[in-house]
Structures are given as C-alpha cells and as structure tokens.
Amino acid sequence: MGGGRRPRNTEERILKTIAIVLILLGSGLLVMSLFPAREIVRQVHQKNRAAWQLLGALIILFLAGYVVYGGYLLRHPAAVHDVIAATIMLGGGIFVAGVVAATRRSIVLVRELAEKERFRALHDELTGLPNRMLLQDRLDHAILMAKRMREPMAVVFMDLDRFKEINDTLGHHYGDYLLQEVAARFRGAVRATDTLARLGGDEFAVILPGVDTVQAAKVAMKLAAALDRPFSVEGHSLSVGVSAGIAVYPEHGDDSELLMQRADVAMYVAKRNDIVYALYHPDEDQSSVNRLILVGQLREAIAGSGLLLHYQPKISLRDGSLCGVEALIRWQHQSRGLIPPDEFIPIAEQAGLIRPLSHWVIDHALAQNASWRRHGYRMPVSVNLSVKNLQDTNFPDVLFDLLNRWNASPDDLVLEITESTMMTDPARVQHVLDRLVRAGLKLSIDDYGTGYSSLAYLRRFPALEIKIDKSFVLDMITNEDNAVIVRSTIDMIHTIGRQVVAEGVEDDATLARLEELGCDCLQGYHICRPLPAEEIEKWLATTSWQVKRLSSPHSCDRK
Ligand code: C2E
Ligand code: CA
Ligand code: CA
C-alpha cells in the first residue's frame, strides 16, 4: 500500500514545489515592480536605515508566505492545480505590469540622459555658461526679435588681459578656478535676459537685447568694473582685466556671423590700444585681418626661419675697448622685406609669442657669442627682454638651461630691461630679477629717462649699467635742454655707483661731448650700425677701437 502512495506523493511534492517557486517568483516580481531591487541595494549600500528595514520586512514576508502557503498546500494537495493556474495568471499579470513599469522607467532615464547630453553640447563644462554654439543660436533668435520689434541689440566680445600669464605661470588649476570666478562676476553684471557665454579659453561674449551702442558701452564698463577687485586664489591675490569689442544690430550687421566677427575685430582694437572697450569701425577690419595674418606668420618664423639678429657694438670711453654687442632682432618677411622690431615686438607681446621669441633670441645670441669665443673674441652679448619675460617665474630656469647649452658664463650675457618694465608688477619682477642676479647675470636698464622711476628706486635694482635713452642723446649738441638732462643724468647715475651708457651717438661732436661729461660707454651709428654677425667680424678686423682678445677659448661655468 505504502508502495502505491509513493509515486502520488512524489508527484504532489513536485507540484507543490513548483507552486511555491511560482508564488515566490510572482511575489518577487510584484515587489520589484513596486521598488526596484537596484534601488534597495543602492540604499542599503548608502546605509539608509529605512532601506534596511524595508529589506528586513520583505525577507520576513517571503519567509512567512513560504511557511503559511507551503504548509497549506502540503495539507491540501488537491488545491495545487488551482494554485498553479492562479499563480501563472497572477505571476504573468505581475510580470507584464513589471515590464511595463520598467520600460516606462527606462524611457524616463533615456530622456534624462538625452537632456543632460543636450545641455553638455550647448554649455561650457567649466563655468556652466552657454557655449559658442548656443550663443550663435541665441544671437540668431535675438536678431529676429530685434527685427520684429524694430529695436537695436548688441553683442559684446570679451578677452581677459593677463590671464595667459597666470595660467602659464601658476598652472591650469589656478586658471580654471579664476575663469569660474570671472564667469560668476560677469553673470552678476548683466541682466537675466542677457545671454552670457564662454567661447573658449579666456574669451566670453554677451548678447544684449534691446541695447544700443551707448548702453552697450555702459555694460562693457560695468563688466570691466566687475573685475576691478582682485581675485583671491589659495592665498594669491590675482588681478585680470578685460578688453571688450562691441557690434550692434542693425548698424554693424544683420546676421549673427557678421556681428560676431565684427565684435571680435573691435575687441582686438581695444586690446591693441589698451582700452576697456571699442566699438566696431569698418576701418579696423582690414588692419585686423593683416594683423592676424602677421601673427600666424610670426609664429611660423619663430619655429622655422625668417628671424635674424643684428649686433651693434658698445664701446668704453675709458680705454677705447669694445665692451660688448647688443643683439637686435629683425624679421625677414617673404613679401614685406625686413620688418623692424618696433613693428612686430608689440604684436608678439599681445599674441602671447614673446616667450618663444625671447628664447629664440637668447639661444641665437648665445650661439653667436660661443662662436666668437671659439675665435678668441670676448664679446658679451646684450639681449632685450620684455616685461612678460620678467613676470614669468620659469624664465630664470629657461635662461640657465640656455647658458648651459652654450657653455656660457653669466658674464657672457647682459639682460636689458626697460625702465617701465621695472615699474610693472615690481614685486613679481623683483623676484625673477633676484634669481637672475644671484646666479651672476648682469642687468642693464634701457631707455632711461622715458619712464618715471626715481633714483631711489633705481638704487634698489642691482643693475650694472644704465642706458640713457637715445631721444636725449641724438640732438644734445643742438638742444641745450637735452644736453642738461644728459649731464645731470650721468652725474646722478655716478652718485649711485653705476655705469652710464649713451645710445644714439650719431656723430663725432656728440662723442666728444659725452667724453667730456664722463660717460662710460657709447653705442650708436657713429661707432657702428647694427650689423649681421659676419659683418661685425669684418668691422672687428678694421676698427680702431680696441677689441679684447681671449688668451684661450673661453669656457666658464655658471657661478
Ligand atoms: P633699443 O633696445 O633701445 O635698441 C636700440 C635701437 O636704437 C635699435 O633699434 C638701434 O638700431 C637703434 N640705434 C642704435 N644706434 C642708433 C643711432 O645712432 N641713431 C638712431 N637713430 N638709432 C640708433 P631697433 O633695432 O630698430 O630696435 C628697436 C627696439 O626694438 C629696441 O630698442 C628694443 O626695444 C626692441 N628690440 C629689438 N630687439 C629686440 C628683442 O630681441 N627683444 C625685444 N623684446 N625687444 C627688442
Ligand atoms: Ca636695448
Ligand atoms: Ca634703448
């Protein structure tokens, strides 16, 4: 008998087990559709107490269900078929509901993701401001509105001043932080209805609906004033300025591209003239295009060929000896011929090319100096530095590397810095100069008399020599005022124990007068014009000035 019951028992047990599994599956799906398992796990991970409690309650519910339902089925095996049918239907229903709910959730998620993606495509990640693409779109819209309302509208382009130096010297971390702070200040200076955008780098733009040229100029001043207060970044007090260019609809154009291009042109005008803002003017267009072409060509010349150095001798009036040569840069342009430095140095400074340009000059000047040393001539070479070099805290390291490369001693190089250089950002400049002077480099203060430095201030600078600007020397024979200035300058400089160099000596009478006044050194066309190195060598062979010869090829180590 017992043997007859066994198969039925086994079948019932299998049915019961299937029933229980289905019931649990169905309940599981129900719970998951109510509260996604992933969310529970996430909450549990985040140690959320409510989630723990919910998880506990669910486990207890499952266990209780299992015990009660399982017990009931074990006691009433006949009900198994009905339970299976009911469970399949219930489970199926719940499953479908679950799938529908999950699909809806995925659709919401995909939509959210697409929304985020769209935001990212139209905004700048660093500042959260609209980017160039969104600006263009908003500008199109603003022009349409302005047309319909018969109102003006303005677009202002802005480029930060001094940002590149901060970014280059202190690093991107500071640069990024500063850009975020600048964006916040700009945002506070414009209305909520204006679109402020970051175009990339340190360039921003703002669209001003309903605004004419006069009002746009006021907004530009307000934006500049927003940067007046220095920024405090990790203990550093940093200050940046802004140059703004304004183009207005309908005067300067009626499509977005033209307005943006013209605001950009105006911005360059502001930058070049060192003013806060400039309104677009058609005359500037061509010069700005030429300038952009020139910047590109200059960059290529620094990296390739086209730049050259001329050298101008400097002689000592004490013993008639040659004290050195000044390296003066020239640019041999493909179509424009020889361009003088006064025309392209300011462009290099504005376009951020002065660092590579100065490195090129120092490298080539030291190469030439090494070649002269090999031929037995001791000719220290003076190079002209820009204020940007002295604000660059890396500059001394670059310079030391170049001295090492050419096996040059600090005595082989003189650094000419203008009087005005010393006055800009004196603390920073002083720090860089201190490092150079400690390494034994000699400084020469150029264009003396054209700036505002006091003698007390000069005394603090460890300069070897001071060069009186040629504007006082050129006509000192005929212009008594200038003669007085030259005489008193020589006396003053001697009282602080420095040497005086007079530049711009064009004739014998000036030379004789300077000798009388006790000037130490001379430079000028009367002695020799700036010449290419080969011609300087010819001059050395024929001149009556005394050229110092080295007893053996010079190879000093840096002190
Ligand atoms: P600077 O440093 O005052 O150079 C002296 C300028 O006076 C040179 O003009 C030189 O040719 C000119 N000069 C020399 N003797 C006489 C003279 O007897 N009479 C007259 N009328 N002029 C004389 P240059 O070569 O055109 O250079 C102009 C300026 O460009 C330089 O003035 C300097 O400030 C800048 N410069 C030249 N080379 C470099 C460079 O490598 N780097 C930088 N940053 N600036 C440079
Ligand atoms: Ca000079
Ligand atoms: Ca000078």
Side-chain angles (χ1 to χ4, degrees):
M1 244 211 42
R5 294 263 310 161
R6 270 190 84 82
R8 174 133 177 78
N9 244 347
T10 314
E11 187 191 319
E12 275 171 16
R13 272 174 207 271
I14 293 169
L15 284 172
K16 279 178 201 167
T17 312
I18 295 171
I20 291 164
V21 168
L22 284 173
I23 290 164
L24 289 176
L25 253 176
S27 337
L29 281 170
L30 177 69
V31 170
M32 274 170 69
S33 67
L34 290 174
F35 202 108
R38 256 189 28 219
E39 183 57 16
I40 299 178
V41 173
R42 199 172 66 81
Q43 295 282 337
V44 167
H45 266 293
Q46 288 178 359
K47 305 197 170 48
N48 184 327
R49 244 182 103 198
W52 278 107
Q53 284 165 356
L54 180 67
L55 193 66
L58 287 175
I59 292 169
I60 292 167
L61 198 73
F62 278 144
L63 289 176
Y66 189 85
V67 171
V68 174
Y69 235 179
Y72 171 77
L73 286 175
L74 287 175
R75 279 196 304 281
H76 305 89
V80 164
H81 288 101
D82 296 341
V83 171
I84 291 176
T87 308
I88 289 173
M89 281 164 66
L90 181 71
I94 292 167
F95 181 71
V96 170
V99 168
V100 170
T103 314
R104 271 181 40 202
R105 259 198 309 281
S106 339
I107 291 172
V108 171
L109 258 165
V110 168
R111 254 196 223 138
E112 277 176 13
L113 259 172
E115 195 53 46
K116 271 190 196 152
E117 205 45 55
R118 210 177 97 82
F119 185 88
R120 206 173 301 152
L122 295 176
H123 290 80
D124 163 47
E125 219 171 308
L126 185 69
T127 59
L129 292 178
N131 62 12
R132 189 182 281 271
M133 205 193 285
L134 184 55
L135 178 88
Q136 174 105 33
D137 190 58
R138 298 256 177 101
L139 190 53
D140 285 332
H141 184 251
I143 293 170
L144 278 179
M145 288 300 287
K147 272 183 191 161
R148 191 178 310 154
M149 311 293 282
R150 294 175 192 283
E151 276 184 343
M153 61 120 321
V155 55
V156 183
F157 255 51
M158 293 169 284
D159 186 282
L160 301 183
D161 305 331
R162 299 184 295 280
F163 174 78
K164 281 194 180 68
E165 291 151 38
I166 293 174
N167 208 37
D168 291 351
T169 44
L170 295 176
H172 294 285
H173 167 65
Y174 282 82
D176 284 356
Y177 183 76
L178 193 62
L179 285 173
Q180 288 170 332
E181 294 290 299
V182 166
R185 295 231 192 135
F186 280 164
R187 212 182 277 130
V190 295
R191 293 184 197 153
T193 46
D194 303 334
T195 298
L196 172 68
R198 179 176 171 226
L199 306 177
D202 60 351
E203 287 185 348
F204 294 83
V206 59
I207 301 170
L208 306 167
V211 160
D212 61 14
T213 44
V214 178
Q215 291 162 310
K218 283 188 186 151
V219 175
M221 292 301 285
K222 202 170 158 200
L223 285 161
L227 307 186
D228 276 352
R229 213 163 17 91
F231 293 86
S232 167
V233 188
E234 291 181 10
H236 291 264
S237 170
L238 307 175
S239 53
V240 285
V242 66
S243 306
I246 302 170
V248 176
Y249 165 87
E251 288 134 273
H252 303 141
D254 61 358
D255 78 75
S256 58
E257 221 161 288
L258 196 63
L259 277 181
M260 287 195 6
Q261 188 200 319
R262 294 189 158 171
D264 197 27
V265 166
M267 189 270 287
Y268 270 107
V269 174
K271 191 140 276 217
R272 199 166 53 234
N273 296 307
D274 208 8
I275 50 180
V276 171
Y277 72 87
L279 277 178
Y280 170 75
H281 195 282
D283 288 355
E284 297 292 349
D285 245 355
Q286 196 45 47
S287 70
S288 145
V289 168
N290 291 343
R291 187 187 167 280
L292 281 180
I293 295 173
L294 219 55
V295 167
Q297 292 171 336
L298 182 57
R299 185 173 286 121
E300 282 168 23
I302 296 169
S305 60
L307 296 182
L308 54 134
L309 290 179
H310 280 184
Y311 298 89
Q312 187 176 33
K314 216 165 57 175
I315 54 111
S316 161
L317 276 176
R318 291 221 193 105
D319 56 5
S321 68
L322 179 81
C323 11
V325 289
E326 177 175 3
L328 295 157
I329 195 167
R330 271 95 185 90
W331 180 10
Q332 186 67 55
H333 190 271
Q334 308 99 308
S335 54
R336 295 176 51 177
L338 206 63
I339 307 184
D342 286 336
E343 272 183 43
F344 67 87
I345 295 285
I347 294 179
E349 281 177 338
Q350 276 168 17
L353 292 176
I354 198 69
R355 282 220 266 166
L357 185 136
S358 297
H359 297 173
W360 185 96
V361 170
I362 299 168
D363 190 30
H364 285 74
L366 285 174
Q368 186 55 58
N369 170 275
S371 159
W372 281 326
R373 272 186 280 136
R374 277 195 302 276
H375 290 92
Y377 295 114
R378 192 188 124 41
M379 297 222 284
V381 60
S382 302
V383 292
N384 292 281
L385 298 182
S386 151
V387 61
K388 298 234 158 75
N389 297 124
L390 297 168
Q391 288 171 341
D392 169 11
T393 44
N394 273 335
F395 178 70
D397 297 311
V398 173
L399 192 70
F400 300 154
D401 280 351
L402 290 171
L403 284 170
N404 276 336
R405 179 188 300 174
W406 294 107
N407 196 22
S409 110
D411 291 335
D412 294 319
L413 192 65
V414 177
L415 305 173
E416 294 200 3
I417 56 173
T418 63
E419 196 188 356
S420 49
T421 299
M422 304 185 308
M423 307 299 284
T424 19
D425 200 354
R428 183 106 151 263
V429 168
Q430 184 80 54
H431 172 74
V432 172
L433 287 179
D434 282 347
R435 274 194 72 196
L436 296 170
V437 170
R438 270 204 306 274
L441 282 147
K442 305 285 178 296
L443 302 180
S444 165
I445 294 174
D446 205 357
D447 301 348
Y448 184 72
T450 56
Y452 304 97
S453 57
S454 67
L455 204 62
Y457 194 75
L458 259 193
R459 199 197 293 267
R460 282 205 270 137
F461 269 87
L464 160 85
E465 61 179 28
I466 288 154
K467 295 178 90 168
I468 307 180
D469 191 66
K470 62 177 177 289
S471 59
F472 304 107
V473 179
L474 284 169
D475 61 353
M476 61 180 278
I477 297 298
T478 50
N479 182 328
E480 197 42 41
D481 289 346
N482 280 347
V484 171
I485 292 174
V486 171
R487 192 182 58 219
S488 54
T489 307
I490 292 173
D491 291 346
M492 278 194 310
I493 293 171
H494 281 161
T495 60
I496 59 163
R498 309 288 156 81
Q499 286 192 40
V500 185
V501 182
E503 58 176 20
V505 181
E506 290 194 346
D507 49 50
D508 210 29
T510 311
L511 187 152
R513 188 74 200 276
L514 285 163
E515 195 168 17
E516 240 174 71
L517 297 175
C519 184
D520 304 285
C521 294
L522 300 185
Q523 185 179 343
Y525 295 167
H526 182 60
I527 293 118
C528 181
R529 285 181 174 263
L531 296 171
E534 317 80 71
E535 291 189 39
I536 285 288
E537 281 156 26
K538 286 184 201 152
W539 179 85
L540 290 173
T542 53
T543 184
S544 54
W545 299 101
Q546 223 184 309
V547 183
K548 282 185 193 146
R549 304 286 303 198
L550 292 164
S551 47
S552 63
H554 192 58
S555 65
C556 303
D557 291 326
R558 190 155 46 81
K559 281 166 207 160

